Amino acid sequence: MSRMTDDQLTVGQAAQRLGVTVRTLHHWDAEGLAQPSARSAAGYRLYTQADLDRLERVVLYRELGLGLNAICGLLDDPDMDAVATLHEQSAQTEEHIHRLQQLQGSLRNMIEAHERGPLVGPERQEEVLGEGWNPDWPAQARARWGHTAQWRQYAERAAVRAPEGWSELTRETEELDGDLVRAVDDGAVPGDARANDLVERHRKLFSRYFPLTRQMQVCLGRVYESDPAFAAHYDALHPGLAMWLREAIDESARLHGVDPDTASWE
Amino acid sequence: MSRMTDDQLTVGQAAQRLGVTVRTLHHWDAEGLAQPSARSAAGYRLYTQADLDRLERVVLYRELGLGLNAICGLLDDPDMDAVATLHEQSAQTEEHIHRLQQLQGSLRNMIEAHERGPLVGPERQEEVLGEGWNPDWPAQARARWGHTAQWRQYAERAAVRAPEGWSELTRETEELDGDLVRAVDDGAVPGDARANDLVERHRKLFSRYFPLTRQMQVCLGRVYESDPAFAAHYDALHPGLAMWLREAIDESARLHGVDPDTASWE
DNA sequence: GTTCTTCCTCACGTCGCGTGAGGGTCAAGC
DNA sequence: GCTTGACCCTCACGCGACGTGAGGAAGAAC
């Protein structure tokens, strides 16, 4: 049953009827948006039926997403164009929805990139990623490196890379492979200028997937040599190329003050 | 044309490259999200290429709607599940979109109510609003009272009133009309108990459209008598009813201490 | 030397409340 | 009349991601 008198409600009672918190009514009171028309001797807010009517209107417009200032205008200023205000709010909401939908698209894109690597439709993968591309590679790579910070950066960049970007990377990778083969054919030796140059090109190229330090490059060289799949790739280009590349990377690292024997990822 | 040295950028330069404000970089610095790795002798922030790489990642994730804390985690904590974070964000965004779409519906509803009155499909209007309903009435009423505070309240309530609500109002209005006719038939006179009772029912009924004070009711009574359309409606029910009702309202007002001759809308 | 731009560090404002802190008031049971 | 528990009051800070000056130093161009 009601406290105080019968047609005056306290904040708590008013709040319960309206489905808002007491704090909210305090706030609306402080802002002058909806004040109780009376106070008890002890200073308690007393809301009359008329106050409740006004509060209901506030609640209604608040549920439409209007700001307190706008609501204040709608309730107090009869010259204000309510329909215009509502249309404006509607337009803003529409725009907001649109922005969020764009954002959803980008999020999906980024998730895809994390889960599946290059974002290129299956039908264009061979065209864009080269003839030797194997659709299973991203899954394998993710299983192996998906937990690393580098995979994360790779995915971030993949999410914003257009197919043309992938083509370019593919082309440059194939060029580098070709130049590596020619260098070995021409008798280049790990540690010589030509080898060092190629190693640096390799590092720069990989840094477009994620920042590759020289230490990390050393580790990558070891993977090339020891991992059957990588070794097979390079050795197919030129027998012994995997080992040659690993040694070339080691020599280049040494040249830049990095000890390949103690190099660690990260 | 860089200031300071060549591979260190000042805040302004970094901000321009990233498409963010200087203040934003200050903020990210203060929060520890992305700090310049050096300062000049004068205390100027100097961003290196590595700093810019990090900043770019921050910008990227910020564009996905992630909070700075989440971004901080993604950049610094390699154990954090990036994909899970993204999925969570995506779910939140989806929910947000859904809420906004609901809100858009309510806004459309409210705008309709302001512009067209009762929100009942044309095919159900006669069923819901009674046989005598004229589809032109809302437009006429809006032309006449659309600028008043009462129309606004009427529209607000109309927006949330379901067809059943309209039926009920229609039924009660028809009941009141019938009781008025019967009262006049039975010889009731303005100012007697039965008349006062009916006037009070009328006021309560109208107050379900918008709060109707006794002063306003007096004005309404005059409209009933002087406006041809309203007068025709009541006089068709019973000749002279329009005038009878106006007088009954006047008497009731007097009884409640309101002088009908000086009564004003508002 | 002067002026214009850019930089620095506080520090308050935004929006609609949530969440205590510290302390009165009300209604009821003993 | 006293306690207890629910309710009320008024500050006042916190949130999130910066915007927007205020007041002053440093850099670059004339």
Side-chain angles (χ1 to χ4, degrees), chain B residues 100-121:
Chain B
L100 288 179
Q101 280 171 341
Q102 302 280 92
L103 201 149
Q104 265 304 50
S106 304
L107 276 167
R108 259 196 295 278
N109 216 27
M110 179 69 80
I111 291 171
E112 286 267 303
H114 268 95
E115 288 177 342
R116 285 203 267 288
L119 298 181
V120 178

Side-chain angles (χ1 to χ4, degrees), chain A residues 57 61 74 80 152 156, chain B residues 61 74 80 94 152 156:
Chain A
R57 300 182 70 192
Y61 281 116
L74 283 175
M80 192 164 172
R152 200 171 283 179
E156 290 160 14
Chain B
Y61 280 115
L74 282 175
M80 192 164 172
E94 195 61 47
R152 200 172 282 178
E156 289 160 14

Side-chain angles (χ1 to χ4, degrees), chain A residues 57 60-61 64 74 77-78 80 83 86-87 90 94 97 100 103-104 106 110 115 152-153 156, chain B residues 57 60-61 64 74 77-78 80 86-87 90 94 97 100 103-104 106 110-111 114-115 152-153 156:
Chain A
R57 300 182 70 192
L60 175 65
Y61 281 116
L64 293 180
L74 283 175
D77 180 3
M80 192 164 172
V83 179
L86 293 172
H87 268 121
S90 180
E94 195 59 49
I97 289 176
L100 288 180
L103 199 149
Q104 267 302 51
S106 304
M110 179 69 82
E115 286 175 343
R152 200 171 283 179
Q153 283 202 49
E156 290 160 14
Chain B
R57 300 182 68 192
L60 175 65
Y61 280 115
L64 293 179
L74 282 175
D77 179 2
M80 192 164 172
L86 293 172
H87 268 120
S90 180
E94 195 61 47
I97 288 176
L100 288 179
L103 201 149
Q104 265 304 50
S106 304
M110 179 69 80
I111 291 171
H114 268 95
E115 288 177 342
R152 200 172 282 178
Q153 281 202 50
E156 289 160 14

Side-chain angles (χ1 to χ4, degrees), chain B residues 157-177:
Chain B
R157 295 189 183 176
V160 297
R161 204 191 310 277
E164 303 76 57
W166 289 109
S167 312
E168 203 182 314
L169 275 171
T170 301
R171 193 174 48 70
E172 290 186 37
T173 303
E174 286 168 354
E175 270 176 30
L176 178 62
D177 281 353

Side-chain angles (χ1 to χ4, degrees), chain A residues 131-172:
Chain A
E131 294 178 12
W133 174 258
N134 181 342
D136 295 335
W137 282 348
Q140 291 173 9
R142 193 188 173 210
R144 190 159 174 184
W145 293 297
H147 62 286
T148 65
Q150 283 70 38
W151 176 268
R152 200 171 283 179
Q153 283 202 49
Y154 158 73
E156 290 160 14
R157 296 188 181 177
V160 296
R161 204 191 308 278
E164 303 76 58
W166 289 109
S167 309
E168 200 182 317
L169 275 172
T170 301
R171 191 175 48 72
E172 290 187 37

